[in-house]
Amino acid sequence: MTVTETPPHLNAADFAWQKDDVFGRIASRYDRLCDAFSFGIHRLWKQRVAERIASEEWDTLLDGATGTGDIILRVLEQPSTTGRTVIASDVSAKMLAIAEQRLQAHKGSVSLQLLDAENMPSVQSGSFDAYSISLGMKICNRRLAAQEAFRALKPGGRLIILEASNIPWTFVNRAYFLYMSICMPVLGWLATGGDASAYKYLLHGIRDFPSAEELALELESYGFEGVTFERLSLGIVAIHTARKPRVQQ
Ligand SMILES: C[S@@+](CC[C@H](N)C(=O)[O-])C[C@H]1O[C@@H](n2cnc3c(N)ncnc32)[C@H](O)[C@@H]1O
């Protein structure tokens, strides 16, 4: 895997895993940090996206930036996913080690792979029915990640993204960001024992990630069709779904 130079606007958090192993450092505390940063609301978002992923038609799913496996665990708990196969991937071996433990009960259905979502040479083109990525797009070069997802998908394959978004009422959105920029450093400092990276990336990622409408247009520009989105919690996050065309142009 090589370092990719990224125009900052395509990597909202301006994060490069090659330069900072922040997820390795916080892996054992990651799920508790999510609770702290979102006051537990991330559980509702993850449950909702897991249900959306499970409701799509697929036999093989590749999940990028899978983290501690929280979402894939919820996907595999859905009765409709019995007999389906998931590859849960991440660039952090420490996050994957936690995911492996958490997914033990489903080890016949899931395998774990160290993969950079921006560049997955070991993944054959057109080999997956569905690709999901949750809370990972804002810390990647999203053009590269979306293009790799597109390449990995079979024609007609489904894309599901959970990511930070915008509250459509500008005043409320500004107030939310102001609140986060005051509250998050305090919470983050306490929760990480002084490791500023985690909340620095999160804040930049939230601030500079495109709106739901803009992301939908971006996905179309990368070749996806049938793009839809659903805002959750007023638009703090959104779930985008899209399809790789059945017939390539
Ligand atoms: C915010 S966490 C999200 C984890 C999980 N999807 C969830 O929602 O709980 C982001 C994850 O992305 C991983 N990551 C960061 N850059 C990546 C990249 N280029 N390719 C794959 N994973 C990446 C990190 O190691 C981390 O586990």
Side-chain angles (χ1 to χ4, degrees):
M1 290 188 261
T2 52
V3 176
T4 315
E5 287 307 327
T6 302
H9 67 283
L10 284 173
N11 182 330
D14 199 14
F15 172 74
W17 59 270
Q18 298 93 338
K19 295 180 187 158
D20 186 355
D21 183 28
V22 59
F23 291 101
R25 292 197 302 278
I26 64 168
S28 61
R29 284 170 288 168
Y30 175 76
D31 292 305
R32 272 175 283 139
L33 277 174
C34 287
D35 276 331
F37 286 150
S38 73
F39 298 102
I41 298 170
H42 74 110
R43 293 167 185 249
L44 301 178
W45 304 335
K46 290 179 179 175
Q47 186 59 31
R48 178 70 186 147
V49 75
E51 287 165 8
R52 288 295 297 268
I53 294 169
S55 72
E56 297 289 347
E57 267 184 45
W58 51 268
D59 290 324
T60 53
L61 166 74
L62 175 59
D63 187 55
T66 212
T68 60
D70 206 20
I71 290 173
I72 290 308
L73 184 61
R74 294 163 196 267
V75 170
L76 292 171
E77 281 168 355
Q78 305 291 315
S80 62
T81 57
T82 308
R84 296 158 129 191
T85 305
V86 178
I87 305 239
S89 68
D90 199 284
V91 84
S92 163
K94 288 201 175 131
M95 292 294 250
L96 280 184
I98 295 174
E100 188 167 23
Q101 280 174 10
R102 298 188 71 194
L103 293 165
Q104 268 298 314
H106 300 280
K107 63 178 180 207
S109 314
V110 63
S111 55
L112 295 125
Q113 274 186 31
L114 206 52
L115 289 178
D116 176 358
E118 296 176 358
N119 179 27
M120 309 186 286
S122 60
V123 173
Q124 270 194 1
S125 299
S127 53
F128 285 92
D129 300 313
Y131 179 90
S132 53
I133 183 164
S134 299
L135 309 178
M137 272 291 192
K138 69 177 164 308
I139 50 172
C140 286
N141 175 321
R142 58 182 183 275
R143 175 171 54 79
L144 295 180
Q147 286 173 343
E148 273 299 77
F150 189 90
R151 185 186 66 74
L153 285 170
K154 293 176 186 170
R158 299 289 293 166
L159 173 73
I160 306 104
I161 301 173
L162 168 70
E163 194 45 88
S165 196
N166 66 311
I167 300 173
W169 303 280
T170 311
F171 173 74
V172 185
N173 199 44
R174 283 205 191 121
Y176 164 69
F177 191 74
L178 180 67
Y179 166 73
M180 290 297 272
S181 52
I182 293 168
C183 174
M184 199 175 278
V186 178
L187 279 176
W189 186 264
L190 292 172
T192 61
D195 187 342
S197 308
Y199 57 84
K200 186 188 82 185
Y201 293 127
L202 191 51
L203 268 182
H204 282 186
I206 291 172
R207 187 192 59 199
D208 292 343
F209 201 74
S211 69
E213 291 83 355
E214 287 164 344
L215 181 62
L217 289 174
E218 260 189 53
L219 292 174
E220 284 173 2
S221 77
Y222 303 141
F224 288 98
E225 63 178 24
V227 183
T228 67
F229 61 82
E230 175 189 7
R231 298 184 208 272
L232 305 182
S233 303
L234 297 179
I236 291 176
V237 296
I239 298 173
H240 283 71
T241 62
R243 186 178 52 243
K244 178 171 174 171
R246 286 181 204 284
V247 180
Q248 295 289 285
Q249 306 294 324

